[in-house]
Amino acid sequence: GAVVSQHPSRVICKSGTSVKIECRSLDFQATTMFWYRQFPKQSLMLMATSNEGSKATYEQGVEKDKFLINHASLTLSTLTVTSAHPEDSSFYICSARDEEEGTDTEAFFGQGTRLTVV
Amino acid sequence: GQNIDQPTEMTATEGAIVQINCTYQTSGFNGLFWYQQHAGEAPTFLSYNVLDGLEEKGRFSSFLSRSKGYSYLLLKELQMKDSASYLCAAVDSNYQLIWGAGTKLIIKP
């Protein structure tokens, strides 16, 4: 089945620095990828929809200048958490669908990135 | 607004059967997914329903009633490894996934 690879799986960074998270679709092309954030014991919260070749669509309340999304190719989307603060510590997950298989196909998730800001 | 409701937590016994319910209200409907998520890991796909009825896949089955805005996930012959959160997600008219908060399933010996 389709595979989505996310890197890194864990990262610890100092407050004020930036962290880049990569999401790759390994065996299919994805014009759209989704970035989620998940707090402990809570469900996935959609942060933004990443669109290849155009600007990302951010959900209400998500700061686009803080969470920079770049979708430069059909297989790669990146999320950069800029000037990270401890409250940005969370589990970030990307997902994508193999759109050639139709709109009723499952979303494939990356492995997730556990970000800890100290 | 769009809303997905599922119980926060359920407890069941190893070897037993458990049913996790999900009700949804979305603008348009294009199917419903169930995912399993172990702590600290990404969700993994379990099932997809778009037509009314029961879909069986091994120990897991999923049911959908579009007229009632209702789905359930049925887990049989429970094993300890089934302890996880189970996420219900409905697909709206824009083909966006609307996620429930997840049901934490605790399996006891």
Side-chain angles (χ1 to χ4, degrees), chain B residues 62-80:
Chain B
S62 55
F63 171 84
L64 176 68
S65 169
R66 294 178 67 132
S67 62
K68 295 181 179 178
Y70 168 69
S71 173
Y72 68 72
L73 180 69
L74 190 70
L75 294 78
K76 303 176 183 176
E77 300 170 19
L78 286 169
Q79 300 175 11
M80 297 303 293

Side-chain angles (χ1 to χ4, degrees), chain B residues 9 32 35-36 62 80 94:
Chain B
E9 186 174 296
L32 188 138
Y35 282 83
Q36 180 191 61
S62 55
M80 297 303 293
N94 294 318

Side-chain angles (χ1 to χ4, degrees), chain A residues 4-41:
Chain A
V4 173
S5 176
Q6 186 174 341
H7 177 82
S9 58
R10 286 180 178 273
V11 59
I12 300 173
C13 71
K14 290 185 178 180
S15 187
T17 61
S18 295
V19 173
K20 180 185 284 188
I21 304 170
E22 293 188 348
C23 181
R24 294 180 185 273
S25 56
L26 296 186
D27 55 0
F28 66 99
Q29 294 182 330
T31 55
T32 305
M33 290 187 176
F34 303 91
W35 287 96
Y36 294 90
R37 182 173 181 178
Q38 187 175 34
F39 292 100
K41 300 183 181 180

Side-chain angles (χ1 to χ4, degrees), chain A residues 57-111:
Chain A
T57 304
Y58 289 82
E59 295 299 303
Q60 192 172 10
V62 178
E63 299 175 60
K64 61 181 181 181
D65 293 331
K66 180 167 185 61
F67 298 99
L68 299 179
I69 291 173
N70 184 285
H71 195 151
S73 78
L74 287 170
T75 59
L76 174 64
S77 175
T78 61
L79 169 68
T80 301
V81 182
T82 62
S83 188
H85 288 100
E87 57 264 31
D88 298 325
S89 298
S90 191
F91 192 52
Y92 293 88
I93 312 175
C94 69
S95 79
R97 281 173 165 159
D98 187 348
E99 292 149 5
E100 289 189 357
E101 296 295 319
T103 53
D104 61 345
T105 55
E106 65 196 86
F108 296 96
F109 287 87
Q111 299 92 326

Side-chain angles (χ1 to χ4, degrees), chain A residues 34 36 38 41-44 46 49 91 93 97 103-112 114, chain B residues 30 33 35 37 39-45 48 50 87 91 95-97 99-102 104:
Chain A
F34 303 91
Y36 294 90
Q38 187 175 34
K41 300 183 181 180
Q42 295 187 28
S43 187
L44 303 171
L46 180 65
T49 302
F91 192 52
I93 312 175
R97 281 173 165 159
T103 53
D104 61 345
T105 55
E106 65 196 86
F108 296 96
F109 287 87
Q111 299 92 326
R114 173 73 60 192
Chain B
N30 285 293
F33 288 94
Y35 282 83
Q37 185 178 26
E41 299 180 12
T44 56
F45 170 78
Y48 173 74
V50 67
L87 304 172
V91 186
Y95 295 96
Q96 298 291 319
L97 288 172
W99 292 90
K104 182 179 180 181

